[in-house]
Amino acid sequence: MASKIEVDPESGCWLWTGSRNREGLSGCGTVSYQGKTDLVHRVVFRLLVGEIPEGFQVSHAEPRWPHHTRCCNPDHLEAVTRQEALGRRDGVRARARRTHSGNAGPVAAGGARAVRLRTGHVRSRER
């Protein structure tokens, strides 16, 4: 497993470079362990931290990093209830909605955002 982990110097995340359960940023690393396919962060948590309590799941403590689904650093992982994990995910999505609004592009400070016109020109628009 260690040969498929790269350390991100900015975040300290241990990034899984092996197989994942789906494409894109939302895909979590997968590994075959004890005859079953499991998520890498769960296997690492069990090996280096301890068993995952009944009714809990393993979640990244700082889901703001864009690659947190690939992270398997045990110092970044914690066992949480499903409700808490969903709240964290929804918080990340809410922050994304505040900084990007659909196809209009990034929202600048003060509510101005760049809007691409059909002609390809870009103009600034106040919200």
Side-chain angles (χ1 to χ4, degrees), residues 47-102:
L47 291 172
L48 301 178
V49 177
E51 285 300 315
I52 302 166
E54 185 71 32
F56 283 70
Q57 58 189 46
V58 178
S59 179
H60 197 273
E62 285 290 332
R64 64 188 171 89
W65 294 105
H67 47 250
H68 74 274
T69 58
R70 293 176 46 210
C71 181
C72 57
N73 182 338
D75 292 336
H76 294 186
L77 304 174
E78 56 189 359
V80 297
T81 64
R82 178 173 171 75
Q83 183 176 5
E84 185 174 347
L86 290 173
R88 289 177 179 181
R89 183 198 69 193
D90 292 342
V92 168
R93 287 182 178 165
R95 281 193 298 278
R97 283 192 301 273
R98 285 195 300 272
T99 59
H100 284 78
S101 179

Coordinates of all heavy atoms in Angstrom, one line a residue, residues 47-102:
L47 N -5.9 0.0 10.7 CA -4.5 -0.5 10.9 C -3.8 0.4 11.8 O -3.0 0.0 12.7 CB -3.8 -0.6 9.6 CG -4.2 -1.7 8.7 CD1 -3.5 -1.6 7.3 CD2 -4.0 -3.1 9.3
L48 N -3.9 1.8 11.7 CA -3.1 2.7 12.4 C -3.7 3.4 13.6 O -3.0 4.0 14.4 CB -2.5 3.7 11.4 CG -1.6 3.1 10.3 CD1 -1.1 4.2 9.4 CD2 -0.5 2.3 10.9
V49 N -5.1 3.4 13.6 CA -5.8 4.1 14.7 C -6.5 3.1 15.6 O -6.4 3.1 16.8 CB -6.7 5.2 14.1 CG1 -7.5 5.9 15.3 CG2 -6.0 6.2 13.3
G50 N -7.3 2.3 15.0 CA -8.1 1.3 15.7 C -9.4 1.0 15.0 O -9.7 1.5 13.9
E51 N -10.2 0.1 15.6 CA -11.4 -0.3 14.9 C -12.4 0.9 14.8 O -12.3 1.8 15.6 CB -12.1 -1.4 15.7 CG -11.4 -2.7 15.5 CD -11.4 -3.2 14.1 OE1 -12.5 -3.1 13.4 OE2 -10.4 -3.6 13.6
I52 N -13.2 0.9 13.8 CA -14.2 1.9 13.6 C -15.4 1.5 14.4 O -16.0 0.4 14.3 CB -14.6 2.0 12.1 CG1 -13.4 2.3 11.3 CG2 -15.7 3.1 11.9 CD1 -13.5 2.1 9.8
P53 N -15.9 2.4 15.4 CA -17.0 2.0 16.2 C -18.3 1.7 15.4 O -18.5 2.3 14.3 CB -17.2 3.3 17.1 CG -15.9 4.0 17.0 CD -15.3 3.7 15.7
E54 N -19.1 0.9 15.9 CA -20.4 0.5 15.3 C -21.2 1.8 15.1 O -21.3 2.6 16.0 CB -21.1 -0.5 16.2 CG -22.4 -1.0 15.6 CD -22.2 -1.9 14.4 OE1 -21.2 -2.7 14.5 OE2 -23.0 -2.0 13.5
G55 N -21.7 2.0 13.9 CA -22.6 3.1 13.6 C -21.8 4.3 13.2 O -22.4 5.4 13.0
F56 N -20.5 4.2 13.1 CA -19.6 5.4 12.7 C -19.0 5.1 11.3 O -18.9 4.0 10.9 CB -18.5 5.6 13.7 CG -19.0 6.3 15.0 CD1 -19.8 5.6 15.9 CD2 -18.6 7.6 15.3 CE1 -20.2 6.2 17.0 CE2 -19.0 8.2 16.4 CZ -19.8 7.5 17.3
Q57 N -18.6 6.1 10.7 CA -17.8 6.0 9.5 C -16.6 6.9 9.6 O -16.5 7.8 10.4 CB -18.6 6.4 8.3 CG -19.2 7.8 8.3 CD -20.2 7.9 7.2 OE1 -21.1 7.1 6.9 NE2 -20.2 9.0 6.4
V58 N -15.6 6.7 8.7 CA -14.3 7.4 8.8 C -14.5 8.6 7.8 O -14.9 8.5 6.7 CB -13.1 6.6 8.3 CG1 -11.9 7.4 8.3 CG2 -13.0 5.4 9.3
S59 N -14.2 9.8 8.4 CA -14.3 11.1 7.6 C -13.0 11.9 7.7 O -12.3 11.8 8.7 CB -15.5 11.9 8.2 OG -15.6 13.1 7.5
H60 N -12.7 12.6 6.7 CA -11.6 13.5 6.7 C -11.9 14.7 7.6 O -13.0 15.3 7.4 CB -11.2 14.0 5.3 CG -9.9 14.6 5.1 ND1 -9.6 15.9 5.3 CD2 -8.7 14.0 4.7 CE1 -8.3 16.1 5.1 NE2 -7.7 15.0 4.8
A61 N -11.0 15.1 8.5 CA -11.3 16.1 9.4 C -11.4 17.5 8.8 O -12.0 18.4 9.3 CB -10.2 16.1 10.5
E62 N -10.7 17.7 7.7 CA -10.7 18.9 6.9 C -11.1 18.7 5.5 O -10.3 18.7 4.6 CB -9.3 19.5 6.9 CG -8.8 20.2 8.2 CD -9.6 21.4 8.5 OE1 -10.0 22.1 7.6 OE2 -9.8 21.7 9.7
P63 N -12.4 18.6 5.2 CA -12.9 18.3 3.9 C -12.7 19.5 2.9 O -13.2 19.4 1.8 CB -14.4 17.9 4.1 CG -14.8 18.6 5.3 CD -13.5 18.7 6.2
R64 N -12.1 20.6 3.3 CA -12.0 21.7 2.4 C -10.9 21.5 1.4 O -10.9 22.1 0.4 CB -11.6 23.0 3.2 CG -10.3 22.9 3.9 CD -10.1 24.1 4.9 NE -9.0 24.0 5.7 CZ -7.8 24.3 5.4 NH1 -7.5 24.9 4.2 NH2 -6.7 24.2 6.2
W65 N -10.0 20.5 1.6 CA -9.0 20.2 0.6 C -9.6 19.6 -0.6 O -10.4 18.7 -0.4 CB -7.8 19.4 1.2 CG -7.1 20.1 2.2 CD1 -7.2 19.8 3.6 CD2 -6.1 21.1 2.1 NE1 -6.3 20.7 4.2 CE2 -5.7 21.5 3.3 CE3 -5.6 21.8 1.0 CZ2 -4.8 22.5 3.5 CZ3 -4.7 22.8 1.2 CH2 -4.3 23.1 2.4
P66 N -9.3 20.0 -1.8 CA -10.0 19.4 -3.0 C -9.7 17.9 -3.2 O -10.5 17.3 -3.9 CB -9.5 20.2 -4.2 CG -8.2 20.8 -3.7 CD -8.3 21.0 -2.2
H67 N -8.7 17.4 -2.6 CA -8.4 16.0 -2.8 C -8.6 15.1 -1.5 O -8.1 14.1 -1.3 CB -6.9 15.8 -3.2 CG -6.0 16.6 -2.4 ND1 -5.3 17.7 -2.9 CD2 -5.6 16.5 -1.1 CE1 -4.6 18.2 -2.0 NE2 -4.7 17.5 -0.9
H68 N -9.5 15.6 -0.6 CA -9.7 14.9 0.6 C -10.2 13.5 0.5 O -10.0 12.7 1.3 CB -10.6 15.7 1.6 CG -12.0 15.7 1.2 ND1 -12.6 16.6 0.3 CD2 -13.0 14.9 1.6 CE1 -13.8 16.3 0.2 NE2 -14.2 15.3 1.0
T69 N -10.9 13.2 -0.6 CA -11.4 11.8 -0.8 C -10.2 10.8 -1.1 O -10.4 9.6 -1.0 CB -12.4 11.7 -2.0 OG1 -11.8 12.2 -3.2 CG2 -13.6 12.5 -1.6
R70 N -9.0 11.4 -1.5 CA -7.9 10.5 -1.8 C -7.0 10.4 -0.5 O -6.1 9.6 -0.5 CB -7.1 11.1 -2.9 CG -7.8 11.0 -4.3 CD -7.0 11.7 -5.4 NE -5.6 11.3 -5.4 CZ -4.7 12.1 -5.8 NH1 -4.9 13.3 -6.3 NH2 -3.4 11.7 -5.8
C71 N -7.2 11.2 0.5 CA -6.4 11.3 1.7 C -6.6 10.1 2.6 O -7.7 9.7 2.9 CB -6.6 12.5 2.5 SG -5.5 12.7 3.9
C72 N -5.5 9.5 3.0 CA -5.5 8.3 3.9 C -4.6 8.6 5.1 O -4.1 7.6 5.7 CB -5.3 7.0 3.2 SG -3.7 6.9 2.3
N73 N -4.2 9.8 5.4 CA -3.4 10.2 6.5 C -4.2 10.0 7.8 O -5.2 10.6 8.0 CB -2.9 11.6 6.4 CG -1.9 12.0 7.5 OD1 -1.9 11.4 8.6 ND2 -1.2 13.0 7.3
P74 N -3.8 9.1 8.7 CA -4.6 8.8 9.9 C -4.7 10.0 10.8 O -5.7 10.1 11.5 CB -3.8 7.7 10.6 CG -2.4 7.7 10.0 CD -2.5 8.2 8.6
D75 N -3.8 11.0 10.7 CA -3.9 12.2 11.5 C -5.0 13.1 11.0 O -5.4 14.0 11.6 CB -2.6 12.9 11.5 CG -1.5 12.2 12.2 OD1 -1.8 11.4 13.1 OD2 -0.3 12.4 12.0
H76 N -5.5 12.9 9.7 CA -6.5 13.7 9.1 C -7.9 13.0 9.2 O -8.9 13.6 8.7 CB -6.2 14.0 7.7 CG -5.0 14.8 7.5 ND1 -4.6 15.3 6.2 CD2 -4.1 15.3 8.3 CE1 -3.5 16.0 6.4 NE2 -3.1 16.0 7.6
L77 N -7.9 11.8 9.7 CA -9.1 11.0 9.7 C -9.7 10.9 11.1 O -9.0 10.8 12.1 CB -8.9 9.6 9.1 CG -8.2 9.5 7.7 CD1 -7.9 8.1 7.4 CD2 -9.2 10.1 6.7
E78 N -11.0 10.8 11.2 CA -11.7 10.5 12.4 C -13.0 9.8 12.2 O -13.6 9.9 11.2 CB -11.9 11.8 13.2 CG -12.7 12.9 12.5 CD -12.7 14.2 13.2 OE1 -12.1 14.3 14.3 OE2 -13.3 15.1 12.7
A79 N -13.4 9.0 13.2 CA -14.6 8.3 13.2 C -15.8 9.2 13.6 O -15.7 9.9 14.7 CB -14.6 7.1 14.1
V80 N -16.8 9.4 12.8 CA -17.9 10.3 13.0 C -19.2 9.6 12.7 O -19.2 8.6 11.9 CB -17.8 11.6 12.2 CG1 -16.5 12.4 12.6 CG2 -17.8 11.4 10.7
T81 N -20.3 10.1 13.1 CA -21.6 9.6 12.8 C -21.9 10.0 11.3 O -21.3 10.9 10.8 CB -22.7 10.1 13.6 OG1 -22.8 11.5 13.4 CG2 -22.5 9.8 15.1
R82 N -22.8 9.2 10.7 CA -23.2 9.6 9.3 C -23.7 11.0 9.2 O -23.4 11.7 8.3 CB -24.2 8.6 8.8 CG -24.7 8.8 7.4 CD -25.6 7.7 6.9 NE -26.3 8.0 5.7 CZ -25.7 8.0 4.5 NH1 -24.4 7.7 4.4 NH2 -26.4 8.3 3.4
Q83 N -24.5 11.4 10.2 CA -25.1 12.7 10.2 C -24.0 13.8 10.2 O -24.0 14.8 9.5 CB -26.0 12.9 11.4 CG -26.7 14.2 11.4 CD -27.7 14.3 12.6 OE1 -27.8 13.4 13.4 NE2 -28.4 15.4 12.6
E84 N -22.9 13.6 11.0 CA -21.8 14.6 11.1 C -21.1 14.6 9.8 O -20.7 15.7 9.3 CB -20.9 14.3 12.2 CG -19.8 15.3 12.4 CD -19.0 15.1 13.6 OE1 -19.3 14.3 14.5 OE2 -17.9 15.7 13.7
A85 N -20.8 13.4 9.2 CA -20.1 13.4 7.9 C -20.9 14.1 6.8 O -20.4 14.8 6.0 CB -19.9 11.9 7.5
L86 N -22.2 13.9 6.8 CA -23.1 14.5 5.8 C -23.1 16.0 6.0 O -23.1 16.8 5.0 CB -24.5 14.0 5.8 CG -24.6 12.6 5.3 CD1 -26.0 12.1 5.5 CD2 -24.2 12.5 3.8
G87 N -23.1 16.5 7.3 CA -23.0 17.9 7.6 C -21.7 18.5 7.1 O -21.7 19.6 6.5
R88 N -20.6 17.8 7.2 CA -19.4 18.3 6.7 C -19.4 18.5 5.2 O -19.0 19.5 4.6 CB -18.2 17.4 7.1 CG -17.9 17.4 8.5 CD -16.8 16.5 8.8 NE -16.4 16.5 10.2 CZ -15.5 15.8 10.8 NH1 -14.8 15.0 10.1 NH2 -15.3 15.9 12.1
R89 N -19.9 17.4 4.5 CA -20.0 17.4 3.1 C -20.9 18.6 2.6 O -20.6 19.3 1.7 CB -20.6 16.1 2.6 CG -20.6 16.0 1.0 CD -21.5 14.9 0.6 NE -22.9 15.3 0.9 CZ -23.9 14.5 0.9 NH1 -23.7 13.3 0.5 NH2 -25.1 14.9 1.2
D90 N -22.0 18.8 3.3 CA -22.9 19.8 2.9 C -22.3 21.2 3.1 O -22.6 22.1 2.4 CB -24.3 19.7 3.6 CG -25.1 18.5 3.2 OD1 -24.7 17.9 2.1 OD2 -25.9 18.0 3.9
G91 N -21.5 21.3 4.2 CA -20.8 22.6 4.4 C -19.8 22.9 3.3 O -19.7 24.1 2.9
V92 N -19.1 21.9 2.8 CA -18.2 22.1 1.7 C -19.0 22.6 0.5 O -18.5 23.5 -0.2 CB -17.4 20.8 1.4 CG1 -16.6 20.9 0.1 CG2 -16.4 20.5 2.6
R93 N -20.1 21.9 0.2 CA -20.9 22.3 -0.9 C -21.4 23.7 -0.8 O -21.5 24.5 -1.8 CB -22.0 21.3 -1.1 CG -21.6 20.0 -1.7 CD -22.7 19.0 -1.9 NE -22.2 17.8 -2.4 CZ -22.9 16.7 -2.5 NH1 -24.2 16.7 -2.0 NH2 -22.4 15.6 -3.0
A94 N -21.8 24.1 0.4 CA -22.4 25.4 0.6 C -21.3 26.5 0.4 O -21.5 27.5 -0.2 CB -22.9 25.6 2.0
R95 N -20.0 26.2 0.8 CA -18.9 27.1 0.6 C -18.6 27.2 -0.9 O -18.4 28.3 -1.4 CB -17.7 26.7 1.3 CG -17.7 27.0 2.8 CD -16.3 26.8 3.4 NE -15.8 25.5 3.4 CZ -16.1 24.5 4.3 NH1 -17.0 24.8 5.2 NH2 -15.6 23.3 4.2
A96 N -18.7 26.1 -1.6 CA -18.5 26.1 -3.1 C -19.6 27.0 -3.7 O -19.3 27.7 -4.7 CB -18.5 24.7 -3.6
R97 N -20.8 26.9 -3.3 CA -21.9 27.7 -3.9 C -21.7 29.2 -3.6 O -22.0 30.0 -4.4 CB -23.3 27.3 -3.3 CG -23.8 26.0 -4.0 CD -25.2 25.8 -3.6 NE -25.5 25.7 -2.2 CZ -25.4 24.6 -1.5 NH1 -25.1 23.4 -2.0 NH2 -25.7 24.6 -0.2
R98 N -21.1 29.5 -2.5 CA -20.8 30.9 -2.2 C -19.7 31.5 -3.0 O -19.6 32.7 -3.2 CB -20.5 31.1 -0.7 CG -21.8 31.0 0.2 CD -21.5 31.5 1.6 NE -20.4 30.8 2.3 CZ -20.6 29.7 3.0 NH1 -21.8 29.2 3.2 NH2 -19.6 29.2 3.7
T99 N -18.8 30.7 -3.4 CA -17.6 31.2 -4.2 C -17.8 31.0 -5.7 O -17.0 31.6 -6.4 CB -16.3 30.5 -3.7 OG1 -16.4 29.1 -3.9 CG2 -16.0 30.8 -2.3
H100 N -18.7 30.1 -6.1 CA -18.9 29.9 -7.6 C -20.4 29.8 -7.8 O -21.1 29.2 -7.0 CB -18.3 28.6 -8.1 CG -16.8 28.8 -8.3 ND1 -15.9 28.7 -7.2 CD2 -16.1 29.0 -9.3 CE1 -14.7 28.9 -7.6 NE2 -14.7 29.0 -8.9
S101 N -20.9 30.5 -8.8 CA -22.3 30.5 -9.0 C -22.6 30.0 -10.4 O -22.6 30.8 -11.4 CB -22.9 31.9 -8.8 OG -24.3 31.9 -9.0
G102 N -22.9 28.8 -10.6 CA -23.3 28.2 -11.9 C -22.3 28.5 -13.0 O -21.1 28.4 -12.8

